[in-house]
Amino acid sequence: MNFMWESVILVLSGLLLLRIAGRKSISQMTVAQTVIMISIGSIIIQPIIEKSVWKTIVAAAIFIAALLVMEYIQVKSNAIEKMLTGKSKVVIQDGQIQYDQLKSLRFTVDQLEMRLRQQGVSNPADLKTATLEANGMLGYEYMPKKRPATVGDIEMLLNQTLPTTEDPQNLFTEAKTQKHPVLNKKQYE
């Protein structure tokens, strides 16, 4: 019965400690964060074998504290951030895949294309830049002519193409004041 309570304590303390550590998914973790999380998982299982619940909780707390200190230092120092986490690397520049950069990252063209497809990008030539971020995610920016239209783009287009009316708040003023001929069915056939 003691075994069951110790397991419950370990699970709850593990959840609490990981909650303190943050909410990143495995794909968004840096190398340091992944090592810490794997270590915590290994530590949490130890008391079931060795019967030392409190030492396990303290050890896991030390790992979380180390993670929080590393993240704090990274916020304060670019050099430490670059050393611990790394920086993003450009893998596509002006629509051209940067093969030498992929090679240095040990990243294949097929892996890059898979990541692009997962983001809904079908042609690398449509991208101004694409970067492989430190957490393994792919960031990208479309070429100016390939970007999706924004609300601002559509408003600008409408302002250029719609006739101006005396009442800019009512787009239907022109339609209300002009008589339009009624079309019959034969004109459409």
Side-chain angles (χ1 to χ4, degrees):
M1 199 59 131
N2 196 26
F3 169 83
M4 290 174 60
W5 285 112
E6 288 177 352
S7 297
V8 169
I9 290 170
L10 287 173
V11 168
L12 293 176
S13 62
L15 288 172
L16 175 66
L17 291 169
L18 292 177
R19 179 73 175 98
I20 292 168
R23 295 181 181 218
K24 292 183 181 177
S25 71
I26 292 295
S27 66
Q28 296 172 324
M29 285 186 187
T30 63
V31 173
Q33 290 169 330
T34 304
V35 168
I36 297 287
M37 295 307 167
I38 291 170
S39 299
I40 288 171
S42 298
I43 288 171
I44 286 178
I45 199 68
Q46 289 300 318
I48 295 173
I49 299 167
E50 296 180 12
K51 308 278 187 207
S52 178
V53 173
W54 297 112
K55 285 182 183 177
T56 299
I57 292 171
V58 170
I62 289 170
F63 273 86
I64 296 296
L67 177 64
L68 295 175
V69 167
M70 282 190 285
E71 288 176 346
Y72 177 78
I73 291 171
Q74 288 180 55
V75 169
K76 296 295 183 183
S77 168
N78 271 345
I80 301 275
E81 178 187 18
K82 187 175 180 181
M83 183 181 72
L84 292 177
T85 305
K87 294 285 185 180
S88 61
K89 303 289 183 182
V90 176
V91 292
I92 295 176
Q93 183 69 47
D94 296 323
Q96 300 295 315
I97 295 174
Q98 304 298 303
Y99 295 101
D100 53 336
Q101 191 71 271
L102 287 177
K103 187 176 179 181
S104 71
L105 293 168
R106 296 183 314 275
F107 207 73
T108 67
V109 174
D110 289 336
Q111 290 170 326
L112 176 62
E113 289 173 345
M114 176 188 67
R115 297 269 180 102
L116 290 171
R117 284 190 301 273
Q118 288 173 338
Q119 297 290 327
V121 177
S122 58
N123 188 355
D126 292 345
L127 300 177
K128 182 177 178 184
T129 57
T131 55
L132 190 61
E133 303 298 331
N135 63 5
M137 301 294 285
L138 187 71
Y140 61 92
E141 177 185 6
Y142 279 106
M143 293 280 198
K145 292 193 178 213
K146 296 294 184 173
R147 290 184 186 138
T150 65
V151 172
D153 295 334
I154 293 169
E155 285 176 349
M156 182 180 70
L157 185 62
L158 286 173
N159 288 336
Q160 290 174 353
T161 57
L162 286 178
T164 57
T165 61
E166 292 178 17
D167 182 8
Q169 299 298 322
N170 188 351
L171 296 176
F172 299 103
T173 302
E174 183 179 332
K176 289 179 182 178
T177 59
Q178 294 180 354
K179 292 186 177 182
H180 298 284
V182 177
L183 300 176
N184 61 33
K185 188 176 180 181
K186 288 183 184 179
Q187 289 176 313
Y188 285 110
E189 297 175 348

